[in-house]
Amino acid sequence: MARRTARASEVRHGVFELFNNEYKIQVEHGTITSLYDIVAKREIIPKGAKANQLVIFDDKPLYWQAWDVEVFHLDSRRELSSSSSQICHNHPGRVSLLTRTQISEHSWVETKISLADKIEGYPSCIEIDCTVEWHETMKFLKVEFPVDISNTEASYETQYGIVRRPTHYNTSWDMAKFEVCCHKWADLSENGYGVSILNDSKYGFATCGNVMRLSLLRAPKAPDAHADMGQHHIRYAIYPHAGPLDHRTVRMAANFNHPMILQTGQPGASSSPAASSASLLSSIKLSGSPALVLDTIKRGEDDADVSRGELPVRTEKGKSIIVRVYDALGGRCRGELETTLPLRRAWKCNVLEDDELEMEVEKRDALQDEELEKEVEEGADGYRVEIELRPFEVATYRLQL
């Protein structure tokens, strides 16, 4: 039986310690006062600072309440104090600490900080689940993460790309970028080390100096007086990493946004839609540069058996599979699309799935390829298509079966 490494304890009244083989965390009144990377031998939270600190602002824009955020709202910052914390999970493989914070008479936040067992070969992160009961008027709720990292720019993920924005207000142009669009992650890195903040449902972020700040909820009253009122469930995570921003953050954020789901099935139900989808997904693989992401696998819209008659039907017999790949980090990279499907031809096409460039298809013999033999049935063949993408390119390929 594997030795358990994750554990939680109350080291003194109101102060808790969460530990695994990678991180040692100290939590006081619901905020993280110390986050120590055991492997890198590095403290991530500056002395005297508090990460996972909930803060609230007055949010009174000059014109359009539901759309505008003005920079002067930052002057009204107020920290929220937590009432109590307790260990809510102390099971093998995962420990959690639950904290309740009262925002006002009608609003509150329950925050659960979790640390999982360290699995060899896989990075771990500090996960935070929030349940918010929100009944405020013209307020802005955020959560802050001061980190011991120095850089004049921070990186924010957008769909198929990265936006970089200054972390200072040196000019009026810099100050105008006080709130940034952000999808699955934001990252602040210096030479040799960095911290990424992952999230599953929020799209506003800011980094000022060394303070990373995720926007959680607003309370505008026009045009909808009840916008965002009620209960919300929000997940975010702290992912420290040695080295620069790279594919590890991209993959960690993707996994955080799409956790594995356990599904039960009946024996002999291999013809079910779920089984068919699993078979299709497992038959296509992307290898090569770790910056490449296999984003989409779908049927061709113009195939006769799935066409809805809105577009001309492809005259070529057989079925086609559309595969969409993109470069997530902004560099030229090469890779290989590998499939065990009976591939006849392959094209690079546009987003409308119009063929543009025919690709060379290399056949792999399972009897001569030990790696392929493990993946497919005896006697089956596999196919390989070499691809090359420009920085941040979104490439679409059509596989003709």
Side-chain angles (χ1 to χ4, degrees):
M1 183 175 179
R3 184 173 64 88
R4 174 186 171 187
T5 62
R7 61 177 182 266
S9 60
E10 186 172 10
V11 293
R12 59 182 184 273
H13 181 68
V15 180
F16 297 84
E17 186 176 275
L18 281 65
F19 175 90
N20 68 6
N21 280 350
E22 196 165 12
Y23 306 116
K24 184 169 71 172
I25 307 167
Q26 186 168 291
V27 181
E28 188 171 354
H29 302 300
T31 60
I32 300 173
T33 55
S34 174
L35 172 52
Y36 185 74
D37 187 329
I38 298 172
V39 178
K41 299 180 180 179
R42 176 168 182 152
E43 175 60 55
I44 296 162
I45 309 301
K47 187 176 181 180
K50 297 177 288 185
N52 196 43
Q53 173 66 64
L54 293 165
V55 291
I56 197 164
F57 301 83
D58 292 332
D59 186 21
K60 300 177 180 178
L62 297 175
Y63 299 105
W64 312 103
Q65 288 188 27
W67 290 271
D68 290 355
V69 177
E70 305 290 352
V71 68
F72 55 73
H73 85 280
L74 296 172
D75 297 332
S76 62
R77 176 184 179 276
R78 177 169 63 89
E79 293 186 0
L80 297 177
S81 300
S82 302
S83 56
S84 61
S85 299
Q86 61 180 4
I87 297 173
C88 59
H89 292 103
N90 202 1
H91 302 154
R94 191 178 187 87
V95 293
S96 300
L97 182 68
L98 184 67
T99 302
R100 186 179 177 92
T101 303
Q102 198 71 31
I103 300 174
S104 66
E105 184 181 354
H106 304 290
S107 303
W108 50 263
V109 184
E110 279 191 349
T111 304
K112 183 168 69 173
I113 303 173
S114 301
L115 187 64
D117 229 350
K118 169 63 177 162
I119 301 175
E120 191 67 31
Y122 293 90
S124 62
C125 62
I126 299 90
E127 297 185 22
I128 299 142
D129 289 73
C130 286
T131 300
V132 186
E133 189 68 35
W134 184 245
H135 299 282
E136 296 299 305
T137 298
M138 301 185 78
K139 297 292 184 181
F140 201 162
L141 180 66
K142 305 186 183 187
V143 61
E144 294 181 343
F145 307 91
V147 293
D148 193 12
I149 301 290
S150 179
N151 200 328
T152 56
E153 280 190 337
S155 302
Y156 308 88
E157 194 226 25
T158 63
Q159 189 176 28
Y160 303 129
I162 297 173
V163 171
R164 293 182 174 88
R165 291 289 183 264
T167 60
H168 53 78
Y169 297 158
N170 288 353
T171 69
S172 60
W173 287 23
D174 298 329
M175 184 175 290
K177 302 170 186 176
F178 64 90
E179 184 87 2
V180 185
C181 293
C182 171
H183 282 188
K184 294 189 289 291
W185 55 263
D187 183 86
L188 183 63
S189 293
E190 62 187 22
N191 181 38
Y193 204 86
V195 175
S196 299
I197 305 298
L198 321 177
N199 91 92
D200 74 338
S201 59
K202 297 299 165 183
Y203 302 98
F205 210 96
T207 305
C208 182
N210 68 334
V211 178
M212 308 177 75
R213 187 183 296 123
L214 175 65
S215 300
L216 299 180
L217 287 169
R218 296 182 68 213
K221 294 306 173 185
D224 182 2
H226 306 286
D228 287 344
M229 296 298 103
Q231 192 167 108
H232 300 261
H233 183 67
I234 306 165
R235 294 175 63 239
Y236 49 89
I238 308 171
Y239 171 50
H241 56 85
L245 168 65
D246 59 16
H247 65 279
R248 294 170 297 172
T249 291
V250 175
R251 278 160 169 69
M252 178 71 79
N255 293 337
F256 186 75
N257 276 261
H258 305 283
M260 295 181 66
I261 299 174
L262 180 63
Q263 292 184 331
T264 57
Q266 299 297 326
S270 58
S271 60
S272 67
S276 299
S277 297
S279 176
L280 172 62
L281 295 175
S282 63
S283 63
I284 298 175
K285 185 174 71 172
L286 175 65
S287 60
S289 170
L292 290 175
V293 177
L294 178 55
D295 182 74
T296 303
I297 300 175
K298 60 185 282 290
R299 285 294 309 276
E301 298 287 339
D302 301 340
D303 287 358
D305 62 326
V306 296
S307 174
R308 295 181 292 183
E310 299 170 353
L311 298 169
V313 176
R314 196 177 299 279
T315 57
E316 191 171 4
K317 293 183 179 180
K319 300 177 180 180
S320 61
I321 304 296
I322 300 298
V323 177
R324 190 160 291 124
V325 180
Y326 73 96
D327 164 54
L329 295 174
R332 185 174 295 273
C333 44
R334 295 183 177 88
E336 295 178 344
L337 284 172
E338 302 175 12
T339 180
T340 55
L341 298 172
L343 181 62
R344 291 193 291 125
R345 303 173 74 182
W347 285 268
K348 187 175 185 179
C349 56
N350 58 27
V351 292
L352 297 178
E353 302 176 13
D354 301 321
D355 297 339
E356 291 186 339
L357 175 66
E358 184 165 6
M359 310 292 292
E360 182 179 350
V361 178
E362 179 186 349
K363 186 175 181 180
R364 303 165 65 197
D365 189 341
L367 298 178
Q368 299 178 3
D369 192 323
E370 294 182 2
E371 182 180 347
L372 179 62
E373 190 175 8
K374 299 175 184 177
E375 302 174 7
V376 301
E377 298 177 359
E378 184 177 356
D381 294 320
Y383 300 86
R384 177 192 291 128
V385 178
E386 293 186 356
I387 62 175
E388 181 176 352
L389 275 69
R390 303 186 308 276
F392 291 127
E393 181 182 2
V394 182
T396 304
Y397 301 92
R398 188 174 75 85
L399 310 180
Q400 183 67 45
L401 308 184

